[in-house]
């Protein structure tokens, strides 16, 4: 009202409601019409239904940030969230933990049962991982059978180890795929971060990834903390 009563055109998106109760988004433009004395006497309002366009934009944004198979954040969104989490840790003098996971025996499932079974397995793994952490944490699929988890405001190394062991137990339980019970495992590398000025997301991922490879060399289904 402040805009249009001053004689200027107002444009913005608003959410409206259909008679059936469903919501839709409109691009609304209101133009004031003055009389011969310059006094505003009427308004012309134009509503453009942009619901379909908004939905398309949201879908494009979702596809750019989330893994199409598992609906988990993809590598790009993961790095964005990791960067933001590290900034918060520096500002608040907190702590976060990065877990880097690689599935054990996933290749055997793919080779013996086919890619469809492998896809079903990745989806089931994603669901179990989400059930092992809090909503405030981030579970991401980085590609292939590699996942990463950002634990916000994590506790002591012992607390972190308990979470990692919970994940190992969850993924060690058989998966039911196409009428078969499939057993896998996971190797987990862990990097702790408490706000050091020298670290960045790439370095933290490198530390967790390196620890994961050590866990893999130890035979898998174990956790390994990165040095430092």
């Amino acid at each position: 009202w402040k805009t249009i009563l001053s004689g200027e055109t107002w444009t913005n998106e608003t959410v409206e409601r259909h008679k059936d109760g469903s919501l839709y988004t409109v691009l609304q433009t209101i133009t004031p019409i003055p009389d011969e004395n310059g006094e505003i006497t009427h308004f012309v309002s134009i509503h453009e239904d942009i619901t379909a366009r908004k939905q398309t934009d949201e879908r494009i944004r979702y596809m750019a940030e989330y893994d199409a198979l598992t609906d988990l954040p993809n590598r790009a969104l993961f790095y964005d969230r990791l960067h933001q989490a590290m900034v918060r840790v520096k500002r608040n003098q907190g702590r976060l933990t990065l877990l880097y996971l690689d599935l054990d025996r996933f290749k055997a499932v793919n080779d013996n049962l086919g890619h469809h079974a492998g896809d079903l397995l990745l989806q089931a793994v994603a669901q179990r991982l989400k059930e092992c952490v809090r909503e405030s944490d981030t579970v991401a699929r980085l590609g292939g059978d590699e996942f990463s988890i950002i634990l916000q405001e994590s506790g002591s190394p012992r607390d972190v180890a308990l979470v990692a062991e919970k994940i190992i137990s969850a993924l060690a339980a058989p998966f039911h795929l196409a009428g078969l019970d499939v057993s896998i495992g996971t190797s987990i590398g862990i990097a702790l971060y408490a706000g050091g000025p020298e670290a960045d997301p790439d370095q933290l991922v490198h530390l967790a990834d390196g620890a994961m490879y050590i866990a893999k060399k130890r035979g898998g289904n174990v956790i390994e903390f990165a040095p430092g």
Side-chain angles (χ1 to χ4, degrees):
W1 280 110
K2 181 179 179 181
T3 299
I4 61 179
L5 288 177
S6 67
E8 299 179 8
T9 297
W10 179 87
T11 300
N12 210 331
E13 295 178 7
T14 61
V15 177
E16 309 292 342
R17 188 183 299 275
H18 288 293
K19 290 182 178 180
D20 64 4
S22 61
L23 300 178
Y24 65 104
T25 304
V26 300
L27 180 62
Q28 184 175 182
T29 301
I30 303 177
T31 303
I33 306 297
D35 61 15
E36 63 275 7
N37 298 318
E39 297 292 332
I40 298 173
T41 57
H42 298 81
F43 300 95
V44 175
S45 179
I46 299 175
H47 284 208
E48 178 188 358
D49 189 339
I50 59 171
T51 305
R53 189 174 78 196
K54 294 283 290 185
Q55 291 173 343
T56 299
D57 290 345
E58 287 293 328
R59 183 58 184 168
I60 291 173
R61 183 159 51 248
Y62 186 87
M63 292 172 63
E65 296 180 340
Y66 288 84
D67 175 57
L69 179 64
T70 63
D71 282 333
L72 294 179
N74 62 15
R75 181 178 290 269
L77 182 56
F78 161 77
Y79 268 97
D80 180 67
R81 289 190 180 179
L82 180 58
H83 171 73
Q84 294 181 33
M86 293 177 72
V87 169
R88 285 194 296 270
V89 167
K90 288 182 180 180
R91 183 173 61 242
N92 302 327
Q93 297 181 336
R95 180 197 302 267
L96 71 80
T97 302
L98 182 65
L99 278 61
Y100 202 106
L101 294 77
D102 184 84
L103 302 183
D104 301 326
R105 299 183 296 280
F106 174 76
K107 186 177 184 300
V109 174
N110 241 0
D111 292 345
N112 296 328
L113 300 182
H115 292 294
H116 178 64
D119 288 347
L120 293 176
L121 177 57
L122 291 173
Q123 291 171 338
V125 165
Q127 182 59 39
R128 290 191 188 183
L129 290 178
K130 288 191 293 185
E131 293 171 353
C132 288
V133 298
R134 302 162 298 184
E135 288 188 9
S136 59
D137 301 321
T138 293
V139 180
R141 183 188 177 205
L142 302 186
D145 63 338
E146 294 187 342
F147 297 81
S148 191
I149 299 175
I150 305 170
L151 298 180
Q152 305 272 9
E153 300 178 2
S154 56
S156 66
R158 178 55 185 160
D159 293 331
V160 172
L162 290 174
V163 174
E165 290 166 1
K166 178 181 178 181
I167 291 171
I168 285 180
S169 296
L171 298 190
F175 292 85
H176 305 290
L177 304 174
L180 298 174
D181 285 342
V182 175
S183 296
I184 61 169
T186 185
S187 302
I188 304 178
I190 303 173
L192 306 175
Y193 178 70
E198 70 286 349
D200 62 28
D202 285 327
Q203 291 171 322
L204 198 62
V205 170
H206 178 73
L207 287 172
D209 187 27
M212 181 274 292
Y213 274 104
I214 294 175
K216 184 75 74 174
K217 289 180 179 178
R218 288 173 53 196
N221 226 33
V222 294
I223 65 175
E224 181 74 30
F225 280 87

